[in-house]
Amino acid sequence: MSNLVLSSPLKGWIAPLDETPDAVFAERMLGDGLAIDPLGSTLHAPCDARVIAVHGTRHAITLRADNGAEILMHVGLETVGLGGDGFEAHVQDGQAVKSGDKLISFDLDLLSLRARSLITPIVITNPDAFQIVRREQDHVVSVGDFLMELAPMGEATAVSPVAGGEVVREVVVPLAHGIHARPAARIAETARKFAAEVALVAVNRRASAKSPVGVMSLAIRHGDRVSVVASGPDAEYAVIAIVELIEGGMGESAALPPTAAAPSRLGAVVEAVRAAHPSEPGLLRGVMAAPGLAIGQAVRFLSSDIVVVEAGTGAANERAALEGALAHVRARIEKAAGKGDTARKAILGAHLAFLEDPELAAAAHRLIADGKGAGFAWRRAVGGYVEALRGLGDRRLAERVDDLIDLERQVLRALTGEEDEARVLPPGAILLADELLPSQLMGLDPGQVAGLCTAKGGPTSHVAILAAAMGLPAIVAAGPGVLDVAEGTGLILDAEAGTLRIGPDAGQLADAQTAIAARHERKAAAKAAAHQESRTADGVRIEVFGNVGSLNDALAAAANGAEGSGLLRTEFLFLERDTPPDEDEQARQYQAIASALDGRPLIIRTLDVGGDKAAPYLPIPAEENPALGLRGVRVSLWRPHLLKTQLRAILRVRPLLQCKIMVPMIASLDELRAVRAVLEEAKRELGITERIELGVMIETPAAAVTADLLAAEADFLSVGTNDLTQYVLAMDRGNPELAARIDALHPAVLRMIAQTCAGAAKHHRWVGVCGGLASDLVAVPVLVGLGVTELSATAATVPEVKALVRTLNVEACQALARQALDQTSPEAVRQLCKAFQAGA
Ligand code: PEP
Ligand code: MG
């Protein structure tokens, strides 16, 4: 292979990588190269190549030259945080480019204001395969001038899957979304069962398979060829186990889960919010992370910097100090993980997995061996991964950054002995912070805090999930203005409106107080009347049920006055485990839930996996469009033994007729007939002759428009508005960029519900709604007007839904529904509904 000459992609000053103020580049964690301080604003191709990846926020690009050299060009530092602002990509992934072709244009003025630095590293990311034999130094270059020359290292030095003494097998990754956090953790868990050293090698980069962070940072995608390489006593078995795990797909044919927004996507949402609301003095706008309204005073929650000393006091000392600190933090997290709600436990579990990552510890120990202090080494080790994860532009990986930073801080605190002291907060504290870390929020007493607002952060970050679980109104991404608010300033935080009012006047305070009082009163009155039967003001029975996903949910639903459950999501029993629950286990769990509902009706939905819900023992083949693939009833009919087991378990619940069965994702009558056939078989086996009601979920447009055909054979129909909206509007329900537009009050969705009710009425079947729209108080009158007679809401909203139903008159609701169907947008429908409820 001959040498490759790279020409300068950019006009600017050449600088050595060491001068880059960023350890990831300066320490060559991503590879060797050089940096350019730009004088031009367009990045060009330095050689003929193919684009491997234009990073999500267009601030960086990776190319693969025809000889295999991989070149990462990263415009400016920490520019991922600009969320794509000021960048324009001229190429896309997979495209072939010629030397000198335009790749990315950027706005130099904007970057010089908002980026940490403009310096642009150009790095060869497969240094095991290529070395730089000549490079330009310290002067100005123009686009196309000589930049550097690379020589292949020869087969022996390149990372090779056939290196001596190692067992190697290749596998093509079938996981639809590549190896992200969850599969990386499973690979690490499996690898750690073996004594052998095990590594994954992908695109000539290598990471220990025992390190979830290392595996994640390989950014392995669907279809990538990965070598599993092991050496040591049980190497062969380790390789087989990991290859089988990857080949099996780990059930990951799923669509992107609805998790944290990528900085770019969140940036777009924030920008859209800001564009729609011109700035107003004394008002900051952000994005709701947890609902609620609060009046209080500003408490600035600024984390003091922890100073670490670079030089160590001897490797043995520093090693022992680091080990001690890690053990201390681990013990504290393990203790905390033993109590609290599921959200809190899951987050602490993720922290433990990271804390036990051998690569992180190894990176820190290497620095200690080089004479660095334990704190310095730990910060550097974590920092390297933080930058690498941020730079990948993948929202699921970027989401883990907060957790790593949190651990960095906790371990440093343990090392310095300066534990975060519990702060005594003034009454009505509204916390203002740049970003809050999960452990900081968990350390607060929710009774002392009225709400929180952060300059950065995402609406579905771990902090947002915790705030919601703690019942704290929260706004994120409100911008740097948050940090300018003086301690003690009076504030009104309106999370639903996404606003923080600074120094409100007496009138604004009085309005907020009235709104809060009215809310409290409304909730208290609703709660007090929660156990009364639900009927409209004109006496029509509308059942208000609660959605349930566990025994605790069932208890909460019953306590909140739910008159039954219109949806038991049985997935809770099937996910996050290696084998499916057997008939006995299922029967026990369904019985416990039925008993918690104390004889009230319980509608058990058959397994709804696939799509965004993956079960490892059901390796659904990789799918281009998982939301349109094997999911819901299609999975049950694909594996009928699972369906039969589930139906038999449901049939064992007593009293027998308390349970009804409901089938998800129905697209045609044939599917209902097939399920009924299995149900009849299960009944025969168990000697049951009573009629067990079997209903269908209306979640596909096909089911809605053929509701009359389905109703001829189904005992009831229940609209899953979450999926129905996704499929009617062709908008992914998990895509944060579409979150503001995917509204089930869209007239098209309402027309589908109207058609469902009309089809059901032909056969005197009832229609319920168990999707999110049933918990939306604005929507309830329209649903009643369309003919829905059962609403299955979240347990927390049941009292308010019941209270609202009591105020309704069905004829007025029908008139409202007719008008709603003729609106041209969901916004118009919402306005109409709000005016209806305001009595206008
Ligand atoms: C729905 O789609 O509205 C529904 C209730 O099902 P899930 O949210 O579990 O997909
Ligand atoms: Mg659904």
Side-chain angles (χ1 to χ4, degrees), residues 142 209 237 277 330 334 361 422 465 473 507 626 632 658 660 711 769 795 822 840:
S142 291
Y237 298 108
H277 302 277
R330 190 178 305 121
E334 277 167 354
I465 293 168
Q658 184 183 354
K660 305 179 203 298
V769 170
D822 283 339

Side-chain angles (χ1 to χ4, degrees), residues 475-678:
I475 294 176
V476 293
V482 171
L483 306 176
D484 298 335
V485 180
E487 184 82 11
T489 309
L491 300 171
I492 299 174
L493 180 116
D494 184 344
E496 277 100 326
T499 57
L500 180 74
R501 185 162 292 284
I502 303 156
D505 60 29
Q508 289 161 336
L509 275 174
D511 287 351
Q513 264 152 359
T514 312
I516 292 174
R519 244 176 223 234
H520 281 315
E521 226 169 86
R522 208 177 52 230
K523 285 197 168 180
K527 194 80 204 262
H531 293 278
Q532 292 170 16
E533 192 186 59
S534 168
R535 279 188 189 279
T536 60
D538 49 350
V540 176
R541 175 87 171 110
I542 304 287
E543 291 171 311
V544 178
F545 286 0
N547 287 350
V548 166
S550 65
L551 176 57
N552 276 341
D553 288 352
L555 292 165
N560 279 336
E563 299 171 300
S565 173
L567 169 63
L568 167 60
R569 289 183 165 100
T570 55
E571 297 81 75
F572 79 100
L573 256 172
F574 287 81
L575 301 175
E576 310 280 332
R577 51 191 292 162
D578 293 329
T579 52
D582 65 13
E583 187 182 312
D584 285 348
E585 182 180 353
Q586 289 189 55
R588 262 197 315 278
Q589 297 268 7
Y590 302 149
Q591 182 65 61
I593 288 170
S595 304
L597 290 174
D598 204 11
R600 301 175 185 93
L602 169 60
I603 300 182
I604 302 185
R605 176 171 79 180
T606 55
L607 185 58
D608 185 20
V609 291
D612 59 348
K613 304 163 196 161
Y617 47 85
L618 271 179
I620 293 170
E623 296 174 318
E624 285 263 321
N625 288 304
L628 304 180
L630 262 185
R631 54 165 303 193
V633 67
R634 300 169 197 171
V635 173
S636 293
L637 296 176
W638 176 59
R639 292 286 180 267
H641 62 281
L642 275 183
L643 174 64
K644 168 83 104 41
T645 307
Q646 183 167 35
L647 293 175
R648 283 177 56 100
I650 297 171
L651 291 171
R652 283 170 53 186
V653 176
R654 295 293 176 270
L656 178 63
L657 299 181
Q658 184 183 354
C659 297
K660 305 179 203 298
I661 296 166
M662 180 164 78
V663 191
M665 288 298 296
I666 287 280
S668 74
L669 185 57
D670 285 352
E671 291 159 332
L672 174 64
R673 288 182 176 160
V675 174
R676 193 178 287 287
V678 182

Side-chain angles (χ1 to χ4, degrees), residues 567 569 605 608 613 697 699 720-723 733 770-771:
L567 169 63
R569 289 183 165 100
R605 176 171 79 180
D608 185 20
K613 304 163 196 161
M697 285 193 75
E699 295 178 286
T721 48
N722 309 335
D723 275 312
R733 65 192 264 191
C770 61

